[in-house]
């Protein structure tokens, strides 16, 4: 039995450009989503295909520089009679501290009549006695995305595609910054307002404050997908 290539699964040519790849992924996610008549297996196959193509595009390994164990310039074969002594190894640098993220649920913001534009929003939330689902903090480890770190800490944040092709996992960054290596769905106007995607974003500052579950903001409605099978549903999903 032949195995379909990731490009066959997405229905694109291997030489498709980035725009064609993302458009095909978003189309196939909608076609295979269980809520749209597809199956969980097909939906997951599309996600895996997209991740494999992305890994192939972004995971190139640079050629090693010539050294003792690699081919370099031709040698005369005569050893140096007086080689320089090897320098003392430099001490390894201290590891960077893991970024800390303070989070707030947008549902709590609405319930209390707060505003995302309030400079004291997180100070107000900290004093409001919210439970751990609505307010708290956690660290982001290694190569984790913000969404993965939240899940590791037992939080059920909304998501669907896990590939940057929808806005279900969107967060509003109030302080600090998140990377967006595969941010293909958010228009520039939303990025300028601090909206990021937690499934592909990670803190690039030592600390950050984010409001999650903002997918129901009016400007994000058209960028949402039905929740992925097993994903937490929002209040109106």
């Amino acid at each position: 039995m032949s195995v379909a290539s990731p490009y066959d699964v997405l229905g694109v040519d291997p030489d498709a450009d980035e725009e064609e790849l993302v458009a095909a992924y978003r189309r196939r996610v909608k076609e295979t989503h269980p809520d749209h008549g597809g199956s969980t297996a097909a939906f997951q196959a599309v996600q895996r295909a997209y991740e494999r193509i992305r890994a192939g595009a972004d995971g190139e390994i640079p050629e090693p520089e010539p050294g003792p164990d690699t081919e370099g310039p031709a040698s005369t074969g005569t050893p140096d009679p007086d080689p320089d002594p090897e320098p003392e190894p430099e001490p390894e640098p201290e590891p960077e501290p893991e970024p800390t993220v303070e989070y707030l649920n947008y549902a709590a913001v609405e319930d209390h009549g707060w505003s995302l534009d309030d400079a004291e929003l997180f100070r107000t939330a900290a004093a409001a006695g919210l439970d751990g689902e609505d307010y708290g903090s956690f660290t982001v480890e290694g190569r984790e995305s913000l969404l993965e770190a939240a899940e590791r800490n037992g939080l059920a944040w909304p998501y669907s595609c896990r590939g940057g092709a929808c806005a279900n996992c969107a967060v509003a960054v109030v302080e600090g910054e998140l990377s967006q290596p595969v941010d293909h769905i958010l228009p520039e106007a939303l990025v300028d307002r601090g909206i990021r995607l937690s499934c592909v974003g990670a803190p690039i500052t030592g600390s950050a404050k984010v409001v999650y579950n903002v997918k129901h903001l009016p400007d994000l409605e058209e960028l949402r997908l039905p929740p992925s099978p097993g994903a937490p549903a929002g209040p109106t999903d």
Side-chain angles (χ1 to χ4, degrees):
M1 181 179 65
S2 61
V3 178
S5 74
Y7 296 97
D8 291 336
V9 174
L10 294 187
V12 295
D13 294 329
D15 60 353
D17 61 25
E18 191 74 12
E19 184 177 349
E20 292 171 327
L21 177 62
V22 173
Y25 174 57
R26 184 163 173 79
R27 182 185 68 252
R28 293 289 291 137
V29 162
K30 289 183 177 179
E31 290 174 352
T32 60
H33 199 287
D35 287 356
H36 290 178
S39 68
T40 299
F43 181 82
Q44 293 173 343
V46 169
Q47 291 179 307
R48 286 194 299 269
Y50 180 73
E51 290 167 0
R52 286 181 58 190
I53 295 173
R54 290 296 309 175
D58 298 333
E60 292 143 354
I61 301 173
E63 290 292 328
E65 296 182 2
D69 298 323
T70 60
E71 294 184 2
S75 171
T76 62
T78 304
D80 188 345
D82 185 20
D84 293 332
E86 293 187 5
E88 290 290 330
E90 295 185 3
E92 294 186 5
E94 292 291 329
E96 292 287 334
E98 295 168 345
T100 300
V101 174
E102 190 176 355
Y103 64 87
L104 176 61
N105 189 348
Y106 185 65
V109 174
E110 288 191 312
D111 289 345
H112 289 79
W114 299 333
S115 170
L116 289 177
D117 298 325
D118 183 357
E120 298 296 316
L121 176 61
F122 274 77
R123 186 187 299 273
T124 302
L130 301 175
D131 60 29
E133 177 185 353
D134 291 332
Y135 172 79
S137 65
F138 55 77
T139 58
V140 181
E141 298 179 353
R143 297 178 178 273
E144 285 183 323
S145 68
L146 179 61
L147 176 61
E148 289 169 339
E151 292 172 336
R152 177 174 54 79
N153 283 273
L155 299 169
W157 287 13
Y159 68 87
S160 183
C161 73
R162 285 188 178 270
C166 72
N168 292 44
C169 68
V171 298
V173 180
V174 175
E175 185 177 302
E177 184 56 282
L178 262 65
S179 65
Q180 288 288 257
V182 261
D183 176 12
H184 299 295
I185 194 65
L186 293 179
E188 185 175 351
L190 287 176
V191 174
D192 291 343
R193 286 168 49 190
I195 303 299
R196 300 289 186 271
L197 301 178
S198 67
C199 73
V200 292
I204 54 176
T205 50
S207 62
K209 295 179 180 179
V210 303
V211 178
Y212 78 95
N213 199 25
V214 299
K215 62 181 180 176
H216 293 292
L217 289 175
D219 292 339
L220 295 173
E221 288 287 342
E222 294 183 358
L223 305 179
R224 288 167 45 208
L225 288 173
S228 178
T236 62
D237 286 333

